[in-house]
Amino acid sequence: MREAARRRRTRRGAVVSAVSTVVVLGGIAALVLTSQGWPSVRATFFSWADFKEAFPDVLRGFWLDVKLFVIVELVVLALGLLIALVRTTRAPALFPLRLVAAVFTDVMRGIPTILLVYLIGFGIPALQLSGLPTDPVVLGGLALSLSYSAYVAEVYRAGIESVSSGQRAAALAVGLTSRQTMRFVILPQAVRRVVPPLLNDFIALQKDVALISILGPQEAFRQAQIFASSNFNYTPLVAAALLYLCITIPMARWVDRLQARTARARTAAVAA
């Protein structure tokens, strides 16, 4: 009887959710589609002819976004972990490195990412020094790597410091060195705990890759801008937005699942 009642409540809840969703979305759609300016908005933002014309070039530009995102993500993971390890070390001889890491983190997090792209993208070539990169894609990737490494370093550091000090003491007691303790005991636990917030940062990074367009590379957003400015129709920008959504929405849902799984695991551990 109890199981049957639970199933009835579940079905009733699903029906209520479906009906309320249809009512709300239907109301919003009716409000938009019957508005006085909808024909103009539809022609300006949702032109199928302009979408078909612009989409191939926007898609080619989007592959540059994807490649740059993957490379920057790998750099950020490694550099952020290195900065976090430096900031968590307690060796007196490494105090200068800790100070540099703390200053780097504060400065890179304090400067807006778009401003950092400007400063690095136009400032480094202005130095006219041999050996420095001048490719705007490389410079844009460098700016994004520096900015996001600061954020990711703090995520790593929070994960490392969340591991109980008893874990470290137990590892040292069985004969592991401090380095082995960090590598085999602390870091595996810390990384598992910070996977969801790390993925949230990378969702933001995937969107911020479009900022390199201010340096000139013809990635998805830049290609869409070119089409939009040539015929004063913003449908290509919608096409670019849809491509970003194809990446960010699956990543967001994956993060939700990981967070739910982590919460269940912690609840089970507490109950045990």
Side-chain angles (χ1 to χ4, degrees), residues 8 49 70 75 94 100 110 123 131 133 152-153 157 159 172 185 188 202 204 215 221 223 229 265:
R8 285 196 299 270
V70 172
V75 173
L94 296 180
V100 170
V152 169
R157 188 163 73 97
L172 294 174
V185 179
F202 291 138
L215 303 179
F221 179 62
Q223 289 284 6
S229 61

Side-chain angles (χ1 to χ4, degrees), residues 69 195-204 206-207 244-260:
F69 164 69
V195 165
L198 280 179
L199 289 174
N200 279 322
D201 283 336
F202 291 138
I203 291 173
Q206 169 61 33
K207 296 181 292 183
Y244 283 107
L245 288 175
C246 289
I247 299 294
T248 56
I249 288 180
M251 289 181 66
R253 296 289 72 78
W254 188 29
V255 170
D256 290 342
R257 293 186 61 180
L258 283 176
Q259 288 177 330

Side-chain angles (χ1 to χ4, degrees), residues 98-122:
R98 290 202 302 273
L99 180 60
V100 170
V103 171
F104 172 86
T105 302
D106 291 341
V107 171
M108 292 299 109
R109 288 195 304 167
I111 300 177
T113 304
I114 187 171
L115 182 56
L116 193 61
V117 172
Y118 266 110
L119 293 175
I120 293 178
F122 295 114

Side-chain angles (χ1 to χ4, degrees), residues 178-258:
S178 296
R179 182 176 299 179
Q180 290 172 329
T181 299
M182 178 61 70
R183 179 180 176 184
F184 297 111
V185 179
I186 305 299
L187 277 184
Q189 298 182 68
V191 170
R192 283 197 299 271
R193 295 181 182 186
V194 300
V195 165
L198 280 179
L199 289 174
N200 279 322
D201 283 336
F202 291 138
I203 291 173
L205 173 60
Q206 169 61 33
K207 296 181 292 183
D208 280 349
V209 166
L211 294 176
I212 70 167
S213 64
I214 63 179
L215 303 179
Q218 299 203 0
E219 47 75 62
F221 179 62
R222 185 63 175 171
Q223 289 284 6
Q225 279 185 316
I226 292 172
F227 273 95
S229 61
S230 64
N231 57 9
F232 301 100
N233 187 283
Y234 300 112
T235 301
L237 296 174
V238 176
L242 291 175
L243 289 173
Y244 283 107
L245 288 175
C246 289
I247 299 294
T248 56
I249 288 180
M251 289 181 66
R253 296 289 72 78
W254 188 29
V255 170
D256 290 342
R257 293 186 61 180
L258 283 176

Side-chain angles (χ1 to χ4, degrees), residues 35-213:
S35 63
Q36 185 176 358
W38 169 245
S40 175
V41 170
R42 181 179 57 190
T44 305
F45 289 90
F46 303 103
S47 169
W48 178 242
D50 288 285
F51 183 92
K52 289 191 296 183
E53 180 184 359
F55 187 77
D57 288 334
V58 174
L59 180 60
R60 278 194 294 272
F62 185 67
W63 288 123
L64 175 59
D65 287 322
V66 172
K67 289 186 288 187
L68 183 61
F69 164 69
V70 172
I71 294 172
V72 171
E73 180 178 349
L74 294 176
V75 173
V76 167
L77 281 172
L79 183 57
L81 180 58
L82 177 62
I83 295 170
L85 290 174
V86 170
R87 293 203 65 186
T88 54
T89 184
R90 293 295 176 262
L94 296 180
F95 174 77
L97 290 180
R98 290 202 302 273
L99 180 60
V100 170
V103 171
F104 172 86
T105 302
D106 291 341
V107 171
M108 292 299 109
R109 288 195 304 167
I111 300 177
T113 304
I114 187 171
L115 182 56
L116 193 61
V117 172
Y118 266 110
L119 293 175
I120 293 178
F122 295 114
I124 290 181
L127 294 174
Q128 298 183 357
L129 296 176
S130 61
L132 292 180
T134 57
D135 188 329
V137 175
V138 175
L139 294 174
L142 175 61
L144 292 172
S145 298
L146 294 177
S147 179
Y148 274 86
S149 292
Y151 290 101
V152 169
E154 289 301 282
V155 173
Y156 275 132
R157 188 163 73 97
I160 292 172
E161 293 179 348
S162 70
V163 178
S164 170
S165 58
Q167 299 278 339
R168 185 186 302 271
L172 294 174
V174 298
L176 295 181
T177 65
S178 296
R179 182 176 299 179
Q180 290 172 329
T181 299
M182 178 61 70
R183 179 180 176 184
F184 297 111
V185 179
I186 305 299
L187 277 184
Q189 298 182 68
V191 170
R192 283 197 299 271
R193 295 181 182 186
V194 300
V195 165
L198 280 179
L199 289 174
N200 279 322
D201 283 336
F202 291 138
I203 291 173
L205 173 60
Q206 169 61 33
K207 296 181 292 183
D208 280 349
V209 166
L211 294 176
I212 70 167
S213 64

